[in-house]
């Protein structure tokens, strides 16, 4: 990559980073190209250079947030071999803690926007599908090694991740019942009960 | 109620019904008072007579949708005595079927809007809290009668309802994996496994 390309790439990433954070903060419907430009410290022309339409912005920002989350997953799992430790580390890496609320908000924004604009649903289909596949691969690995019970791995993962989504929404709502500590216990308790043989 | 009051009440309900359906269809951020007036076949002045601000509209429409859902719950459970049958009927009455997708969309809209406007979170706190309480009362009844296992009723209900929310979102996304039939099996299967003693 030439220095010139590298600067353009860096600017592109800055725009995406600012965009998805803005979406999480004020809602997709309220983000204007001018707000993104202001936060990055550039002109609206620069933003339009990177994105043709507002749909492109959401699409790109969502992909960026997902890629960011995937890097965090990989970092969390890098040195772990045991399937149970890997599953716990993965859940921990995406728990709706204060510093990760924005990641959940971007999903909420996507779901909301896609509910009225069906053309955005493919983003959920692709990325949620990969998310299920990835968690399932950890469960299957644990089953092959004989440390996890032989339940239907796909069904378990669908239940676990849907539960996590529903609970994360309640945390973002500041629910008095679903705080992060409670959510952690409910999710890990469910996974433990389902996967680990009674000792 | 005088005929005059009755007509006003009817018009008020028509406005609320049109409002929450519009919110579900196009998203809270895109509903204009003029659209509500058009759908009800009245003037914007009439709408403003009922609601001071757009926040009032969302608030009232959400309460209306929740009250509607509660009436459906009560109708579904009216003639049932057995706790398991009651729980199944309740879940069925709120399953994200095509004709109930709008009910789920209004929750999604509320969560989305409340994520950026904290003053709306009390609606979730109140109504979601009641929803948990109500389902928990069915579980506790089953435990007192000795037909349900003695697990932590509150934790079970929090898991079940969060799971239902997460799955309903996937259904509204048209997910290839989470269709209504699959969601029904996953939810009822979870409830059965948790509550009913192995036979």
């Amino acid at each position: 990559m030439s220095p010139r390309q590298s600067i353009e790439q860096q600017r592109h990433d800055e725009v995406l980073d600012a965009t998805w954070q803005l979406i999480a903060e004020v809602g997709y419907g309220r983000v204007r190209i001018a707000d993104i430009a202001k936060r990055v410290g550039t002109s609206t022309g620069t933003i339009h250079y990177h994105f043709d339409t507002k749909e492109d912005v959401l699409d790109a920002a969502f992909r960026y947030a997902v890629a960011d989350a995937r890097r965090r997953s990989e970092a969390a799992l890098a040195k772990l071999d045991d399937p149970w430790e890997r599953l716990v580390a993965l859940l921990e890496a995406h728990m709706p803690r204060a510093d990760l609320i924005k990641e959940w908000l971007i999903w909420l924004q996507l779901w909301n926007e896609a509910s009225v604009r069906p053309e955005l649903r493919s983003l959920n289909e692709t990325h949620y599908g990969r998310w299920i596949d990835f968690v399932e691969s950890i469960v299957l690995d644990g089953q092959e090694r004989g440390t996890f019970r032989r339940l239907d791995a796909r069904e378990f993962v669908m239940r676990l991740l849907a539960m996590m989504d529903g609970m994360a929404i309640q945390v973002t709502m500041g629910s008095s019942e679903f705080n992060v500590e409670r959510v952690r216990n409910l999710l890990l308790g469910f996974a433990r009960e389902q996967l680990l043989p009674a000792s």
Side-chain angles (χ1 to χ4, degrees), chain A:
Chain A
M1 203 181 273
S2 72
R4 164 93 204 173
Q5 283 175 312
S6 162
I7 288 167
E8 285 218 347
Q9 182 62 45
Q10 196 187 330
R11 174 50 53 104
H12 186 258
D13 285 355
E14 280 172 17
V15 170
L16 287 180
D17 196 54
T19 301
W20 84 258
Q21 301 225 19
L22 271 170
I23 292 173
E25 286 166 27
V26 302
Y28 175 73
R30 291 188 187 87
V31 175
R32 294 169 312 154
I33 298 289
D35 302 324
I36 303 170
K38 191 174 173 189
R39 181 160 300 192
V40 183
T42 187
S43 67
T44 55
T46 304
I47 310 298
H48 282 298
Y49 171 77
H50 290 291
F51 306 107
D52 286 337
T53 67
K54 233 184 108 171
E55 283 70 40
D56 292 342
V57 178
L58 178 65
D59 189 299
F62 184 73
R63 286 175 202 276
Y64 183 86
V66 165
D68 201 50
R70 195 177 306 139
R71 278 191 295 274
R72 200 170 55 249
S73 296
E74 284 164 7
L77 302 190
K79 291 178 181 167
L80 298 176
D81 178 62
D82 177 72
W84 175 250
E85 285 178 17
R86 285 170 66 83
L87 184 65
V88 171
L90 191 64
L91 293 179
E92 284 292 347
H94 297 279
M95 208 56 76
R97 301 189 308 260
D99 60 319
L100 295 180
I101 282 289
K102 279 191 182 174
E103 180 189 313
W104 284 99
L105 289 179
I106 197 100
W107 278 97
L108 192 52
Q109 290 287 333
L110 175 79
W111 291 328
N112 192 66
E113 195 61 20
S115 74
V116 293
R117 292 202 293 131
E119 67 273 20
L120 289 173
R121 292 180 192 168
S122 62
L123 284 173
N124 175 76
E125 183 74 13
T126 303
H127 295 292
Y128 204 87
R130 283 188 199 152
W131 175 226
I132 297 180
D133 290 346
F134 184 56
V135 182
E136 187 189 23
S137 72
I138 297 177
V139 175
L140 291 172
D141 180 40
Q143 290 181 321
E144 276 165 29
R145 298 194 198 191
T147 55
F148 287 173
R149 288 170 53 205
R150 294 243 162 235
L151 45 65
D152 185 313
R154 193 80 178 170
E155 289 198 349
F156 162 73
V157 172
M158 289 170 80
R159 284 178 176 137
L160 178 71
L161 298 184
M163 195 186 286
M164 191 173 193
D165 294 344
M167 290 181 181
I169 289 172
Q170 290 303 313
V171 175
T172 69
M173 290 295 102
S175 159
S176 61
E177 195 121 34
F178 291 87
N179 56 59
V180 180
E181 199 46 52
R182 190 96 193 259
V183 167
R184 175 181 287 116
N185 290 336
L186 288 168
L187 290 174
L188 294 181
F190 173 69
R192 193 178 298 115
E193 172 200 302
Q194 295 281 310
L195 294 176
L196 301 185
S199 57

